[in-house]
Amino acid sequence: NAGVTQTPKFQVLKTGQSMTLQCAQDMNHEYMSWYRQDPGMGLRLIHYSVGAGITDQGEVPNGYNVSRSTTEDFPLRLLSAAPSQTSVYFCASSYMGHSYNEQFFGPGTRLTVL
Amino acid sequence: KNEVEQSPQNLTAQEGEFITINCSYSVGISALHWLQQHPGGGIVSLFMLSSGKKKHGRLIATINIQEKHSSLHITASHPRDSAVYICAVRSVNSNTGNQFYFGTGTSLTVIP
């Protein structure tokens, strides 16, 4: 199993540009989520999904969109990039059941918005 | 307000020392996770706890549900243990059923 994969690993954008961060998992996990990690702060939830066709907002959703058309994929879209979105982004997945709630993380995407 | 607090924020130890990292949380939880993040690297799950104690090699994690506190211990520390250790809790009060709250991490440096 490849686990959780993310692309790209690094990205530089100009203010106002849009882009999509890709995330895929091959473990048949129902739950997928996107976090951002900023210096001095814990990981913060952006959006999450509990299954194909179902998404919801997390703690810091503004400026981001998601969709979940398949169980495997959960892309994160930046609609109009802003310098405040400079961060490291992690995708994670897990089973929904209480007994199997370990989260598996992707390698991260380091995004810089100029 | 942080649902999860870790201490210390930074820790430097000599190789071989016994290390303790603490985590306190304020929400009801179904499980607590200890994660490890190496510089420039991804995040790996070390432990998932809902009660008691777990041991993997030189790492030991304990949790006291009544006191809402967990500790991560590293015995005979080694430079390769240098990383950021993150405490995360899975809340039982979340509508999502899977909401995680994360501490800001403890940066550990082990000097040879």
PDB file of all heavy atoms in Angstrom, chain A residues 37-43, chain B residues 2 4-9 37 84-87 102-107:
ATOM      1  N   GLN A  37      -0.432  23.477   8.994  1.00  0.00           N
ATOM      2  CA  GLN A  37       0.474  23.566  10.139  1.00  0.00           C
ATOM      3  C   GLN A  37       1.278  24.842  10.020  1.00  0.00           C
ATOM      4  O   GLN A  37       2.010  25.034   9.036  1.00  0.00           O
ATOM      5  CB  GLN A  37       1.412  22.348  10.184  1.00  0.00           C
ATOM      6  CG  GLN A  37       2.287  22.318  11.422  1.00  0.00           C
ATOM      7  CD  GLN A  37       3.189  21.093  11.451  1.00  0.00           C
ATOM      8  OE1 GLN A  37       3.767  20.712  10.447  1.00  0.00           O
ATOM      9  NE2 GLN A  37       3.306  20.473  12.627  1.00  0.00           N
ATOM     10  N   ASP A  38       1.147  25.697  11.013  1.00  0.00           N
ATOM     11  CA  ASP A  38       1.848  26.976  11.041  1.00  0.00           C
ATOM     12  C   ASP A  38       2.730  27.029  12.276  1.00  0.00           C
ATOM     13  O   ASP A  38       2.398  26.430  13.312  1.00  0.00           O
ATOM     14  CB  ASP A  38       0.844  28.122  11.055  1.00  0.00           C
ATOM     15  CG  ASP A  38      -0.048  28.084   9.814  1.00  0.00           C
ATOM     16  OD1 ASP A  38       0.499  28.249   8.719  1.00  0.00           O
ATOM     17  OD2 ASP A  38      -1.267  27.872   9.958  1.00  0.00           O
ATOM     18  N   PRO A  39       3.839  27.774  12.193  1.00  0.00           N
ATOM     19  CA  PRO A  39       4.772  27.845  13.335  1.00  0.00           C
ATOM     20  C   PRO A  39       4.071  28.278  14.610  1.00  0.00           C
ATOM     21  O   PRO A  39       3.289  29.239  14.607  1.00  0.00           O
ATOM     22  CB  PRO A  39       5.795  28.882  12.865  1.00  0.00           C
ATOM     23  CG  PRO A  39       5.756  28.814  11.380  1.00  0.00           C
ATOM     24  CD  PRO A  39       4.325  28.527  11.032  1.00  0.00           C
ATOM     25  N   GLY A  40       4.333  27.571  15.705  1.00  0.00           N
ATOM     26  CA  GLY A  40       3.776  27.939  16.999  1.00  0.00           C
ATOM     27  C   GLY A  40       2.330  27.553  17.201  1.00  0.00           C
ATOM     28  O   GLY A  40       1.748  27.849  18.252  1.00  0.00           O
ATOM     29  N   MET A  41       1.754  26.879  16.206  1.00  0.00           N
ATOM     30  CA  MET A  41       0.353  26.469  16.323  1.00  0.00           C
ATOM     31  C   MET A  41       0.233  24.982  16.037  1.00  0.00           C
ATOM     32  O   MET A  41       1.018  24.414  15.289  1.00  0.00           O
ATOM     33  CB  MET A  41      -0.512  27.251  15.343  1.00  0.00           C
ATOM     34  CG  MET A  41      -0.386  28.760  15.479  1.00  0.00           C
ATOM     35  SD  MET A  41      -1.500  29.639  14.397  1.00  0.00           S
ATOM     36  CE  MET A  41      -3.037  29.376  15.231  1.00  0.00           C
ATOM     37  N   GLY A  42      -0.746  24.374  16.657  1.00  0.00           N
ATOM     38  CA  GLY A  42      -1.001  22.976  16.347  1.00  0.00           C
ATOM     39  C   GLY A  42      -1.635  22.836  14.982  1.00  0.00           C
ATOM     40  O   GLY A  42      -2.060  23.811  14.356  1.00  0.00           O
ATOM     41  N   LEU A  43      -1.708  21.618  14.502  1.00  0.00           N
ATOM     42  CA  LEU A  43      -2.399  21.350  13.251  1.00  0.00           C
ATOM     43  C   LEU A  43      -3.854  21.815  13.371  1.00  0.00           C
ATOM     44  O   LEU A  43      -4.516  21.569  14.369  1.00  0.00           O
ATOM     45  CB  LEU A  43      -2.373  19.854  12.947  1.00  0.00           C
ATOM     46  CG  LEU A  43      -1.016  19.309  12.520  1.00  0.00           C
ATOM     47  CD1 LEU A  43      -0.910  17.824  12.811  1.00  0.00           C
ATOM     48  CD2 LEU A  43      -0.792  19.579  11.050  1.00  0.00           C
TER      49      LEU A  43
ATOM     50  N   ASN B   2      -6.613  26.591  24.006  1.00  0.00           N
ATOM     51  CA  ASN B   2      -6.142  25.378  23.379  1.00  0.00           C
ATOM     52  C   ASN B   2      -6.722  24.178  24.110  1.00  0.00           C
ATOM     53  O   ASN B   2      -6.595  24.053  25.322  1.00  0.00           O
ATOM     54  CB  ASN B   2      -4.616  25.327  23.413  1.00  0.00           C
ATOM     55  CG  ASN B   2      -4.006  26.386  22.510  1.00  0.00           C
ATOM     56  OD1 ASN B   2      -4.605  26.766  21.517  1.00  0.00           O
ATOM     57  ND2 ASN B   2      -2.833  26.853  22.862  1.00  0.00           N
ATOM     58  N   VAL B   4      -5.613  21.256  23.795  1.00  0.00           N
ATOM     59  CA  VAL B   4      -4.495  20.373  24.119  1.00  0.00           C
ATOM     60  C   VAL B   4      -3.260  21.219  24.406  1.00  0.00           C
ATOM     61  O   VAL B   4      -2.877  22.056  23.598  1.00  0.00           O
ATOM     62  CB  VAL B   4      -4.187  19.410  22.945  1.00  0.00           C
ATOM     63  CG1 VAL B   4      -3.029  18.488  23.306  1.00  0.00           C
ATOM     64  CG2 VAL B   4      -5.424  18.601  22.579  1.00  0.00           C
ATOM     65  N   GLU B   5      -2.664  20.997  25.571  1.00  0.00           N
ATOM     66  CA  GLU B   5      -1.462  21.731  25.970  1.00  0.00           C
ATOM     67  C   GLU B   5      -0.327  20.748  26.186  1.00  0.00           C
ATOM     68  O   GLU B   5      -0.510  19.725  26.853  1.00  0.00           O
ATOM     69  CB  GLU B   5      -1.715  22.507  27.265  1.00  0.00           C
ATOM     70  CG  GLU B   5      -2.808  23.567  27.171  1.00  0.00           C
ATOM     71  CD  GLU B   5      -2.325  24.849  26.542  1.00  0.00           C
ATOM     72  OE1 GLU B   5      -1.116  24.944  26.205  1.00  0.00           O
ATOM     73  OE2 GLU B   5      -3.146  25.763  26.360  1.00  0.00           O
ATOM     74  N   GLN B   6       0.838  21.072  25.637  1.00  0.00           N
ATOM     75  CA  GLN B   6       2.003  20.231  25.820  1.00  0.00           C
ATOM     76  C   GLN B   6       3.096  20.986  26.548  1.00  0.00           C
ATOM     77  O   GLN B   6       3.226  22.193  26.417  1.00  0.00           O
ATOM     78  CB  GLN B   6       2.568  19.797  24.454  1.00  0.00           C
ATOM     79  CG  GLN B   6       1.780  18.734  23.752  1.00  0.00           C
ATOM     80  CD  GLN B   6       2.451  18.293  22.473  1.00  0.00           C
ATOM     81  OE1 GLN B   6       1.891  18.424  21.395  1.00  0.00           O
ATOM     82  NE2 GLN B   6       3.673  17.761  22.571  1.00  0.00           N
ATOM     83  N   SER B   7       3.913  20.222  27.270  1.00  0.00           N
ATOM     84  CA  SER B   7       5.098  20.801  27.901  1.00  0.00           C
ATOM     85  C   SER B   7       6.194  19.751  27.997  1.00  0.00           C
ATOM     86  O   SER B   7       5.910  18.558  28.132  1.00  0.00           O
ATOM     87  CB  SER B   7       4.734  21.326  29.302  1.00  0.00           C
ATOM     88  OG  SER B   7       4.335  20.246  30.132  1.00  0.00           O
ATOM     89  N   PRO B   8       7.458  20.192  27.866  1.00  0.00           N
ATOM     90  CA  PRO B   8       7.862  21.551  27.507  1.00  0.00           C
ATOM     91  C   PRO B   8       7.700  21.786  26.006  1.00  0.00           C
ATOM     92  O   PRO B   8       7.428  20.859  25.260  1.00  0.00           O
ATOM     93  CB  PRO B   8       9.335  21.563  27.904  1.00  0.00           C
ATOM     94  CG  PRO B   8       9.781  20.150  27.654  1.00  0.00           C
ATOM     95  CD  PRO B   8       8.608  19.282  28.035  1.00  0.00           C
ATOM     96  N   GLN B   9       7.869  23.031  25.579  1.00  0.00           N
ATOM     97  CA  GLN B   9       7.827  23.337  24.148  1.00  0.00           C
ATOM     98  C   GLN B   9       9.104  22.888  23.463  1.00  0.00           C
ATOM     99  O   GLN B   9       9.071  22.433  22.316  1.00  0.00           O
ATOM    100  CB  GLN B   9       7.636  24.839  23.932  1.00  0.00           C
ATOM    101  CG  GLN B   9       6.235  25.323  24.216  1.00  0.00           C
ATOM    102  CD  GLN B   9       6.053  26.767  23.787  1.00  0.00           C
ATOM    103  OE1 GLN B   9       6.961  27.578  23.957  1.00  0.00           O
ATOM    104  NE2 GLN B   9       4.901  27.087  23.243  1.00  0.00           N
ATOM    105  N   GLN B  37       7.148  13.934  14.316  1.00  0.00           N
ATOM    106  CA  GLN B  37       7.411  14.646  13.073  1.00  0.00           C
ATOM    107  C   GLN B  37       8.891  14.987  12.994  1.00  0.00           C
ATOM    108  O   GLN B  37       9.392  15.759  13.805  1.00  0.00           O
ATOM    109  CB  GLN B  37       6.576  15.917  12.974  1.00  0.00           C
ATOM    110  CG  GLN B  37       6.712  16.651  11.660  1.00  0.00           C
ATOM    111  CD  GLN B  37       5.756  17.829  11.560  1.00  0.00           C
ATOM    112  OE1 GLN B  37       5.358  18.418  12.552  1.00  0.00           O
ATOM    113  NE2 GLN B  37       5.373  18.175  10.341  1.00  0.00           N
ATOM    114  N   VAL B  84       9.945  16.490  16.484  1.00  0.00           N
ATOM    115  CA  VAL B  84       8.846  17.148  17.193  1.00  0.00           C
ATOM    116  C   VAL B  84       7.810  16.086  17.540  1.00  0.00           C
ATOM    117  O   VAL B  84       7.405  15.300  16.679  1.00  0.00           O
ATOM    118  CB  VAL B  84       8.202  18.251  16.339  1.00  0.00           C
ATOM    119  CG1 VAL B  84       6.970  18.837  17.049  1.00  0.00           C
ATOM    120  CG2 VAL B  84       9.215  19.360  16.045  1.00  0.00           C
ATOM    121  N   TYR B  85       7.409  16.072  18.810  1.00  0.00           N
ATOM    122  CA  TYR B  85       6.427  15.101  19.283  1.00  0.00           C
ATOM    123  C   TYR B  85       5.119  15.841  19.546  1.00  0.00           C
ATOM    124  O   TYR B  85       5.081  16.831  20.261  1.00  0.00           O
ATOM    125  CB  TYR B  85       6.940  14.392  20.539  1.00  0.00           C
ATOM    126  CG  TYR B  85       8.125  13.513  20.216  1.00  0.00           C
ATOM    127  CD1 TYR B  85       9.404  14.047  20.173  1.00  0.00           C
ATOM    128  CD2 TYR B  85       7.947  12.167  19.902  1.00  0.00           C
ATOM    129  CE1 TYR B  85      10.490  13.257  19.839  1.00  0.00           C
ATOM    130  CE2 TYR B  85       9.035  11.368  19.569  1.00  0.00           C
ATOM    131  CZ  TYR B  85      10.301  11.922  19.531  1.00  0.00           C
ATOM    132  OH  TYR B  85      11.373  11.139  19.180  1.00  0.00           O
ATOM    133  N   ILE B  86       4.068  15.347  18.938  1.00  0.00           N
ATOM    134  CA  ILE B  86       2.776  16.021  18.964  1.00  0.00           C
ATOM    135  C   ILE B  86       1.750  15.142  19.661  1.00  0.00           C
ATOM    136  O   ILE B  86       1.632  13.956  19.364  1.00  0.00           O
ATOM    137  CB  ILE B  86       2.291  16.330  17.536  1.00  0.00           C
ATOM    138  CG1 ILE B  86       3.297  17.228  16.808  1.00  0.00           C
ATOM    139  CG2 ILE B  86       0.913  16.984  17.550  1.00  0.00           C
ATOM    140  CD1 ILE B  86       3.023  17.373  15.317  1.00  0.00           C
ATOM    141  N   CYS B  87       1.015  15.751  20.577  1.00  0.00           N
ATOM    142  CA  CYS B  87      -0.089  15.081  21.259  1.00  0.00           C
ATOM    143  C   CYS B  87      -1.388  15.480  20.548  1.00  0.00           C
ATOM    144  O   CYS B  87      -1.600  16.655  20.252  1.00  0.00           O
ATOM    145  CB  CYS B  87      -0.118  15.520  22.717  1.00  0.00           C
ATOM    146  SG  CYS B  87      -1.500  14.896  23.677  1.00  0.00           S
ATOM    147  N   PHE B 102      -5.011  19.126  18.271  1.00  0.00           N
ATOM    148  CA  PHE B 102      -3.580  18.896  18.328  1.00  0.00           C
ATOM    149  C   PHE B 102      -2.888  19.878  19.258  1.00  0.00           C
ATOM    150  O   PHE B 102      -3.234  21.059  19.293  1.00  0.00           O
ATOM    151  CB  PHE B 102      -2.964  19.050  16.932  1.00  0.00           C
ATOM    152  CG  PHE B 102      -3.444  18.036  15.940  1.00  0.00           C
ATOM    153  CD1 PHE B 102      -4.641  18.223  15.265  1.00  0.00           C
ATOM    154  CD2 PHE B 102      -2.717  16.889  15.687  1.00  0.00           C
ATOM    155  CE1 PHE B 102      -5.105  17.293  14.357  1.00  0.00           C
ATOM    156  CE2 PHE B 102      -3.167  15.949  14.782  1.00  0.00           C
ATOM    157  CZ  PHE B 102      -4.359  16.155  14.117  1.00  0.00           C
ATOM    158  N   GLY B 103      -1.895  19.394  19.979  1.00  0.00           N
ATOM    159  CA  GLY B 103      -0.997  20.281  20.688  1.00  0.00           C
ATOM    160  C   GLY B 103      -0.024  20.929  19.709  1.00  0.00           C
ATOM    161  O   GLY B 103       0.064  20.534  18.542  1.00  0.00           O
ATOM    162  N   THR B 104       0.712  21.918  20.198  1.00  0.00           N
ATOM    163  CA  THR B 104       1.662  22.638  19.331  1.00  0.00           C
ATOM    164  C   THR B 104       2.974  21.890  19.170  1.00  0.00           C
ATOM    165  O   THR B 104       3.824  22.291  18.388  1.00  0.00           O
ATOM    166  CB  THR B 104       1.940  24.047  19.863  1.00  0.00           C
ATOM    167  OG1 THR B 104       2.408  23.933  21.205  1.00  0.00           O
ATOM    168  CG2 THR B 104       0.686  24.895  19.827  1.00  0.00           C
ATOM    169  N   GLY B 105       3.151  20.812  19.912  1.00  0.00           N
ATOM    170  CA  GLY B 105       4.339  19.991  19.736  1.00  0.00           C
ATOM    171  C   GLY B 105       5.458  20.319  20.712  1.00  0.00           C
ATOM    172  O   GLY B 105       5.562  21.433  21.224  1.00  0.00           O
ATOM    173  N   THR B 106       6.283  19.333  20.967  1.00  0.00           N
ATOM    174  CA  THR B 106       7.501  19.478  21.776  1.00  0.00           C
ATOM    175  C   THR B 106       8.681  19.151  20.888  1.00  0.00           C
ATOM    176  O   THR B 106       8.758  18.039  20.343  1.00  0.00           O
ATOM    177  CB  THR B 106       7.477  18.534  22.984  1.00  0.00           C
ATOM    178  OG1 THR B 106       6.426  18.908  23.865  1.00  0.00           O
ATOM    179  CG2 THR B 106       8.809  18.564  23.729  1.00  0.00           C
ATOM    180  N   SER B 107       9.557  20.113  20.717  1.00  0.00           N
ATOM    181  CA  SER B 107      10.734  19.908  19.880  1.00  0.00           C
ATOM    182  C   SER B 107      11.862  19.323  20.724  1.00  0.00           C
ATOM    183  O   SER B 107      12.360  19.965  21.640  1.00  0.00           O
ATOM    184  CB  SER B 107      11.173  21.241  19.264  1.00  0.00           C
ATOM    185  OG  SER B 107      12.316  21.049  18.464  1.00  0.00           O
TER     186      SER B 107
END
